[in-house]
Amino acid sequence: MADLTSDFVGIKSPNPFWLASAPPTDKEYNVRRAFEAGWGGVVWKTLGAEGPPIVNVNGPRYGAIYGADRRLLGLNNIELITDRELQQNLKEIKAVKRDYPDRAVVVSIMVPCEEEAWKAILPAVEETGADGVELNFGCPHGMAERGMGSAVGQVPEYIEMVTRWVKQYSRLPCIVKLTPNVTSILPPAMAAARGGADAVSLINTIKSITNVDLDHFSPFPMIDGKGSHGGYCGPAVKPIALNMVAEIARHEETRGLPISGIGGVTTWRDAAEFMALGAGNVQVCTAAMTYGFKIVQEMISGLSQYLDEKDMELPDLIGRAVPNFVEWQHLNLNHVTKAVIDQDACIQCGRCYAACEDTSHQAIAMSDDRVFTVKEEECVACNLCVDVCPVEDCITMRTLEAGEMDLRTGQRVSPEHADWTTHPNNPAARHAAE
């Protein structure tokens, strides 16, 4: 089996799968069970300042979005940071790290945006033997209204300022957790880098309302007839997270900044995609809350087998796809594909025909006996038919070879790369040529 040992900013763990700061990491009991199940590390649920603990609601804390088979696609939560005493958390962190020295234990922290507050809590965290700290600049509800969480994460100047405090008052590796509730993820990431962050983690939850109770006319989860926005996570946010991770990994000012990828990691494949786009490890929450801690065993075996099949080591995977992530204008316009329907696999459901005929390019024909074929002279290779087909690999895309005739345009496929930056229809390209 491939070696999955991870070294993330000097924090070592037996594999790159960490539990994210969330209910699964709220106490010693959970974390011990997680480590026994095989998790490589945890980010302890966010600690607050010394004093009276946070008070959470005593009612439903989650709203859910389901797929057609009731598979959980996304969770909206209105839970806040830990509602347990700081000293109790610190005592448990110390005990866990003592008993599991080979596992990564990172402590998430959120205190008021005041230098003294950070100066006070950091030595106490360091004394536990924890491997690092994660600065929670992402919580979109409850804490943001108190001037913490995403209220800090949406202001690059605050991110840089607090990160500098943390680096000044602690020797531990500093991971800055970024909020996705911004127009661009790059200014916050650059601010973290300027402040001296050892790494960033993303994404935190997305500000959202998942559904409305149509009997009581309140957002859900509902507390005494009222609801509030919460933080959205789970498989549904994965595309947003992948894009933000990749944006940081490829930008000239943030390229090389270590990234801990978060957002919808449910399988080993999800984890591999995050790492291929630049993440050094991944953090998981919703999948563990849905299927239990032992899901990590499938992640470990799957990723190990994948690396063996590719004859790769774990570091070889990290960032492998980043060079292939380009802006639209650099895509090759001379690359031509056409849809192909496997008649032996086709179940004649007609979804491809309905989708293409009603909403796309009328490029699929249906015979009287319900045989579906592609009209290449109309097919623009949009891939919609592949996406709506319920039979895997029934419809595939065939790449036309150089010199082959594209029946839609009446032109032969050119072997040369040609993109929008040089296209004759591009006014900017024409002006540059002139």
Side-chain angles (χ1 to χ4, degrees):
M1 293 180 63
D3 181 10
L4 296 186
T5 303
S6 172
D7 185 339
F8 185 74
V9 298
I11 303 173
K12 294 180 173 58
S13 56
N15 62 65
F17 300 108
W18 294 2
L19 282 172
S21 170
T25 63
D26 187 36
K27 59 176 71 73
E28 181 178 357
Y29 175 82
N30 299 58
V31 173
R32 287 182 180 274
R33 286 177 59 84
F35 284 160
E36 291 301 318
W39 290 91
V42 301
V43 181
W44 202 276
K45 186 167 181 179
T46 306
L47 307 185
E50 187 85 72
I54 291 294
V55 178
N56 271 296
V57 295
N58 296 305
R61 298 181 183 181
Y62 304 108
I65 295 292
Y66 299 104
D69 59 355
R70 200 170 164 78
R71 183 170 68 92
L72 187 67
L73 299 181
L75 274 181
N76 169 291
N77 87 88
I78 59 170
E79 184 166 308
L80 303 181
I81 66 175
T82 184
D83 52 11
R84 302 191 309 132
E85 294 281 354
L86 173 62
Q87 293 304 321
Q88 181 63 34
N89 275 295
L90 294 173
K91 177 182 176 182
E92 294 178 13
I93 293 167
K94 187 173 185 176
V96 167
K97 186 59 189 176
R98 179 196 64 217
D99 293 345
Y100 296 89
D102 65 323
R103 308 302 173 94
V105 178
V106 173
V107 179
S108 176
I109 306 175
M110 182 194 296
V111 295
C113 198
E114 301 165 358
E115 185 173 359
E116 288 303 313
W118 288 95
K119 184 178 180 180
I121 196 171
L122 288 166
V125 171
E126 197 165 328
E127 198 275 332
T128 65
D131 299 293
V133 293
E134 182 180 79
L135 316 188
N136 186 344
F137 293 155
C139 186
H141 59 278
M143 309 312 298
E145 288 79 2
R146 308 176 197 205
M148 295 181 280
S150 63
V152 178
Q154 291 168 335
V155 184
E157 293 81 3
Y158 290 175
I159 294 175
E160 180 178 353
M161 177 178 67
V162 176
T163 303
R164 288 187 186 280
W165 292 340
V166 173
K167 294 302 294 182
Q168 178 181 353
Y169 297 117
S170 174
R171 296 168 296 175
L172 294 175
C174 170
I175 304 169
V176 174
K177 191 172 188 179
L178 301 178
T179 176
N181 300 296
V182 291
T183 304
S184 170
I185 199 65
L186 291 174
M190 288 187 280
R194 288 194 303 270
D198 297 284
V200 292
S201 59
L202 66 154
I203 60 174
N204 208 313
T205 54
I206 300 172
K207 189 174 184 178
S208 62
I209 295 174
T210 49
N211 40 37
V212 175
D213 186 311
L214 291 178
D215 292 318
H216 298 88
F217 302 101
S218 166
F220 197 84
M222 184 172 59
I223 304 294
D224 193 24
K226 306 291 183 183
S228 179
H229 62 78
Y232 194 50
C233 58
V237 311
K238 175 188 161 188
I240 299 168
L242 285 176
N243 177 66
M244 290 187 170
V245 165
E247 288 283 11
I248 293 172
R250 70 172 180 155
H251 192 271
E252 60 182 8
E253 292 189 42
T254 51
R255 189 183 301 126
L257 179 64
I259 301 169
S260 184
I262 314 170
V265 177
T266 306
T267 68
W268 71 265
R269 185 176 293 273
D270 297 327
E273 291 175 11
F274 270 92
M275 288 188 276
L277 284 174
N281 70 3
V282 293
Q283 296 184 33
V284 180
C285 174
T286 306
M289 294 178 72
T290 306
Y291 303 108
F293 285 152
K294 289 186 178 181
I295 192 174
V296 73
Q297 296 168 11
E298 297 178 16
M299 295 179 181
I300 292 169
S301 61
L303 181 59
S304 181
Q305 181 176 337
Y306 168 77
L307 293 173
D308 284 341
E309 291 173 353
K310 292 291 185 182
D311 193 24
M312 295 169 58
E313 300 293 336
L314 185 62
D316 300 330
L317 175 61
I318 299 171
R320 188 72 172 263
V322 174
N324 294 326
F325 178 25
V326 299
E327 295 296 330
W328 187 94
Q329 62 265 27
H330 298 300
L331 298 175
N332 185 9
L333 299 177
N334 282 341
H335 180 82
V336 182
T337 58
K338 299 291 180 181
V340 178
I341 301 175
D342 181 346
Q343 298 301 332
D344 292 332
C346 180
I347 61 174
Q348 299 182 320
C349 67
R351 287 191 190 176
C352 62
Y353 174 79
C356 190
E357 191 71 15
D358 290 352
T359 69
S360 196
H361 292 83
Q362 298 76 53
I364 295 179
M366 179 177 68
S367 68
D368 292 339
D369 56 349
R370 294 186 67 80
V371 174
F372 300 94
T373 54
V374 176
K375 297 185 284 186
E376 288 202 5
E377 67 275 13
E378 301 294 343
C379 181
V380 302
C382 72
N383 204 48
L384 177 61
C385 56
V386 177
D387 292 334
V388 301
C389 179
V391 180
E392 188 174 3
D393 294 330
C394 176
I395 306 178
T396 54
M397 304 302 294
R398 179 179 74 87
T399 299
L400 272 58
E401 300 293 335
E404 192 172 349
M405 180 66 71
D406 181 351
L407 297 180
R408 187 178 69 86
T409 63
Q411 298 178 349
R412 296 195 179 278
V413 176
S414 171
E416 303 298 325
H417 176 97
D419 59 36
W420 181 244
T421 64
T422 58
H423 198 280
N425 288 9
N426 182 352
R430 291 204 305 270
H431 294 157
E434 293 169 359

